[in-house]
Amino acid sequence: MNQPIVSVKNLSVRFGTFYAVKNVSFQVDRGEIFGFLGANGAGKTTTIRVLCGLLPATEGTVFIDNERFTRGTENLIKQKVGYMSQKFTLYEGISIAENMEFAAALHHLDKKRYEQRRTELLRFIDFREDLSLLVRDLPGGIKQEIALCVSLLHDPPIIFLDEPTAGVAPKARARFWDLIRHLSYTGNTVFVTTH
């Protein structure tokens, strides 16, 4: 039997005396689209931040692609995940190309690999516009698609999408869900939150 790509057992995250997440357990299989549902303030984003190696758990265990998240393993975890937050994760005042180059530098992609991934991902979303366009000049749905590409540049096996279609027009939302299904079909694990 295959190991789950995400395994969470008795996860709690506490800030002082306040529990943002309390005693949560679940598993996600490789290639699965996993929906993480809950009201605003239920702890979805806090849980994702732990799973992305951005926030340590107060209690419990977390395994990401067979790597246990403990202090000191944050960078190993970050290389295994792509994260697109519920707010637009692109820098509005710079171009699409500059956003992508910045993300590639953060993940230490060499120029050849970066250019190859950029070409693949822009083809994946069928983007044919000028990469020198400023992000602030793009419609919301296109921004989300570019943000998805940026989160996938380093080819992570797991993609965390936190409220990925919030504030996006219905047609763009449908197209984005098609992209998510395609990612799962090609073997990526997609973790999606929504309220």
Side-chain angles (χ1 to χ4, degrees), residues 65-84:
D65 198 16
N66 298 319
E67 189 72 51
R68 184 172 181 175
F69 180 16
T70 56
R71 291 193 191 276
T73 62
E74 295 92 343
N75 287 335
L76 290 172
I77 300 295
K78 289 174 188 174
Q79 290 304 314
K80 294 174 180 278
V81 302
Y83 176 50
M84 192 177 105

Side-chain angles (χ1 to χ4, degrees), residues 119-130:
T119 299
E120 290 170 2
L121 292 167
L122 293 174
R123 188 178 301 130
F124 171 65
I125 65 168
D126 197 28
F127 187 80
R128 299 167 195 217
E129 303 299 322
D130 185 349

Side-chain angles (χ1 to χ4, degrees), residues 148-167:
L148 177 63
C149 289
V150 167
S151 70
L152 295 171
L153 267 175
H154 61 295
D155 202 14
I158 311 166
I159 301 105
F160 291 95
L161 306 174
D162 195 3
E163 302 276 0
T165 57

